Amino acid sequence: MYIAIAGNIGSSKTTLTKLLAKRYGWTPHFEPVDNNPYLADYYADMNRWSFNIQIYFLNKRFKDIVEISKSKETVVQDRTIFEDARIFAPNLHAMGMMSDRDFNNYTDLFDLMMSLVRLPDLMIYIRSDIPNLVSQIQKRGRDYEQTIRIDYLEGLNKLYEDWISTYKGQLIIVDGDSTKFESNPADFQKVTDMIDAKLFGLFPMSDE
């Protein structure tokens, strides 16, 4: 099976990926961040590096998808190729940080890739508001993320909601503001109960 974790910057996708990999014995695929050759330059000058970084992510994630499709293991992926194309690139284009020419070129390439890509067996979307995202970003203390603009995060959040509202596959939505799965075992159990119900049809017993 192919399980995907989606969510804005700072929504704790990586944390949930690690927890689920440990809980179910799934193979984790993490977002390429620390070894990304464009990331620091991108946050310093988004206009200059937006197309470069989006092509980098598209390339890496398409390779991941090909690898996942060949795997006999259940894989849980930290962020998906769909988010790059439906959220991050359109947000940069809408903010004037990616030209029409670059955006159209990027979109054509993505559409070609989509003819070879299937939806995950389960998409888990972590929904978080801006104050929570900012708190999480500050807490993890990555220098290059400290220059992220609030309007950039707001634009991403809107596009995430638009995308999720029309998503056609199996979907679970986790409230990242109230569900502290990283520190509260009971909250993590709520998440795994939803996963079990979707994947295996194991619904928790009702008190009624």
Side-chain angles (χ1 to χ4, degrees):
M1 286 190 295
Y2 168 30
I3 315 299
I5 313 290
N8 206 340
I9 302 166
S11 60
S12 299
K13 295 180 306 301
T14 301
T15 299
L16 185 57
T17 300
K18 291 176 180 176
L19 288 170
L20 293 179
K22 182 178 180 180
R23 163 67 175 77
Y24 290 99
W26 294 340
T27 300
H29 271 246
F30 296 106
E31 184 176 20
V33 173
D34 293 336
N35 60 346
N36 186 324
Y38 292 104
L39 208 55
D41 289 332
Y42 167 70
Y43 281 124
D45 187 351
M46 289 184 174
N47 285 14
R48 165 64 182 85
W49 296 101
S50 62
F51 182 71
N52 304 69
I53 198 168
Q54 289 306 131
I55 289 295
Y56 174 85
F57 277 125
L58 193 64
N59 176 43
K60 289 292 186 183
R61 251 178 287 272
F62 187 69
K63 287 180 179 178
D64 282 346
I65 289 287
V66 171
E67 184 179 337
I68 289 168
S69 70
K70 295 177 180 178
S71 176
K72 294 184 171 102
E73 301 175 326
T74 295
V75 173
V76 56
Q77 185 183 30
D78 174 4
R79 183 163 283 145
T80 68
I81 194 171
F82 308 100
E83 293 163 83
D84 289 312
R86 298 302 182 217
I87 293 151
F88 283 85
N91 191 47
L92 289 167
H93 181 239
M95 294 179 72
M97 295 179 182
M98 185 184 290
S99 69
D100 291 344
R101 178 180 60 181
D102 285 347
F103 182 67
N104 290 336
N105 187 11
Y106 175 91
T107 302
D108 284 346
L109 179 58
F110 172 76
D111 288 342
L112 175 61
M113 289 177 171
M114 283 302 94
S115 66
L116 304 171
V117 171
R118 67 181 177 90
L119 289 177
D121 295 292
L122 178 64
M123 179 74 72
I124 302 171
Y125 170 52
I126 306 174
R127 173 181 282 148
S128 294
D129 64 18
I130 299 300
N132 187 51
L133 295 174
V134 171
S135 174
Q136 290 294 108
I137 290 168
Q138 290 175 338
K139 188 185 301 181
R140 67 189 184 192
R142 294 172 182 163
D143 290 341
Y144 54 80
E145 289 183 340
Q146 303 311 306
T147 58
I148 294 177
R149 291 163 41 174
I150 296 295
D151 61 338
Y152 177 68
L153 290 175
E154 289 173 340
L156 293 176
N157 251 13
K158 182 183 183 305
L159 287 166
Y160 265 108
E161 291 299 319
D162 291 345
W163 172 58
I164 286 297
S165 70
T166 60
Y167 185 74
K168 302 300 184 185
Q170 286 273 72
L171 175 67
I172 287 172
I173 298 178
V174 176
D175 185 340
D177 298 331
S178 62
T179 308
K180 302 303 179 184
F181 49 79
E182 70 278 11
S183 57
N184 187 332
D187 281 351
F188 182 57
Q189 181 70 45
K190 291 177 185 176
V191 176
T192 59
D193 282 348
M194 288 191 291
I195 292 171
D196 290 343
K198 283 286 187 181
L199 294 182
F200 313 118
L202 302 176
F203 292 90
M205 294 294 293
S206 172
D207 294 331
E208 297 179 4

